[in-house]
């Protein structure tokens, strides 16, 4: 029977996130993570076999944390409230979690499938399944072919509202969150199909 792990996966990922926030992805090395934790590098390698695997898990964790609130917002029974809450969540989450938002904006799923360890294939494949389903459910509440409109309103609009702030390392202003909400609602409820 092996020894219990001294450092939890989240502790290692938190250290990696802090390093990325301070110095970009180049600063995230197993040696730097171990030093931040006060652990031998072997402890990090034992949990994550490579730097790429660790970065992949960090990205996946950020995606899942973001998606939790989005899915709750999208389940709101009133369509207008659901749209406002979902758009507000996208922009508001980026404002509250700028380091994780920067990480998410730095990579896209297609790129990650090609670069990151193959053992994550299934996890990466199903990562956006629940969000895609929530967008389809919202679109089904509207007449016509509304999926493109709902996706634009609840993904593209709020991301555009915060992207320049997040990538520049500036705080996301509350006005960006409100504008994302207002614009998303206008796009979804627009009657000219």
């Amino acid at each position: 029977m092996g020894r219990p792990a001294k450092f939890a996966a989240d502790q290692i990922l938190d250290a990696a996130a802090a390093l990325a926030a301070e110095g970009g992805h180049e600063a995230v090395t197993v040696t730097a993570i171990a030093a931040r934790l006060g652990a031998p590098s072997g402890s990090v390698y034992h949990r994550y076999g490579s730097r790429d695997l660790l970065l992949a898990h960090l990205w996946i964790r950020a995606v899942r944390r973001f998606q939790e609130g989005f899915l709750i917002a999208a389940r709101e029974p009133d369509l207008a409230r659901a749209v406002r809450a979902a758009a507000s969540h996208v922009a508001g989450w980026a404002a509250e979690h700028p380091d994780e938002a920067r990480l998410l904006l730095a990579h896209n799923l297609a790129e990650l499938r090609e670069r990151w360890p193959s053992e994550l294939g299934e996890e990466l494949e199903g990562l956006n399944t629940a969000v895609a389903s929530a967008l389809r459910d919202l679109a089904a509440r509207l007449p016509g072919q509304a999926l493109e409109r709902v996706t634009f309103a609840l993904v593209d609009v709020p991301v555009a509202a915060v992207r320049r702030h997040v990538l520049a390392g500036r705080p996301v202003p509350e006005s960006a969150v409100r504008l994302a909400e207002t614009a998303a609602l206008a796009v979804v409820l627009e009657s000219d199909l």
Side-chain angles (χ1 to χ4, degrees):
M1 187 163 153
R3 287 187 313 208
K6 186 175 179 184
F7 297 96
D10 274 336
Q11 287 177 292
I12 294 170
L13 294 178
D14 289 344
L19 289 165
E22 293 165 7
H25 291 97
E26 301 79 29
V28 182
T29 65
V30 171
T31 303
I33 293 166
R36 176 157 273 200
L37 291 170
S41 295
S43 294
V44 178
Y45 277 118
H46 180 72
R47 175 126 1 224
Y48 300 102
S50 70
R51 176 183 181 269
D52 283 345
L53 185 60
L54 186 145
L55 287 172
H57 278 279
L58 179 61
W59 189 83
I60 289 168
R61 182 181 78 164
V63 168
R64 288 211 168 108
R65 287 178 171 181
F66 161 75
Q67 288 178 347
E68 287 174 15
F70 182 87
L71 293 171
I72 291 167
R75 286 188 207 110
E76 165 66 44
D78 179 78
L79 179 61
R81 285 188 188 151
V83 168
R84 290 182 82 85
S88 178
H89 173 73
V90 174
W93 188 88
E96 292 172 23
H97 305 91
D99 297 335
E100 287 179 294
R102 194 173 306 112
L103 178 68
L104 295 182
L105 288 173
H107 301 287
N108 67 57
L109 192 55
E111 167 192 306
L112 301 181
R113 280 189 192 117
E114 292 176 15
R115 277 194 24 226
W116 282 352
S118 61
E119 64 257 35
L120 291 173
E122 284 183 36
E123 193 165 7
L124 287 174
E125 270 315 304
L127 195 58
N128 290 327
T129 303
V131 168
S133 178
L135 291 170
R136 282 192 304 275
D137 290 347
L138 286 168
R141 299 189 208 177
L142 296 168
Q145 300 295 318
L147 182 58
E148 179 63 27
R149 196 159 37 119
V150 168
T151 302
F152 177 77
L154 298 182
V155 177
D156 300 330
V157 168
V159 168
V162 299
R163 176 184 295 279
R164 66 189 156 96
H165 303 290
V166 169
L167 292 179
R170 293 189 313 260
V172 174
E174 179 60 33
S175 61
V177 177
R178 286 193 315 276
L179 286 169
E181 243 183 74
T182 302
L185 190 62
V187 168
V188 168
L189 298 184
E190 183 230 353
S191 61
D192 181 23
L193 298 175

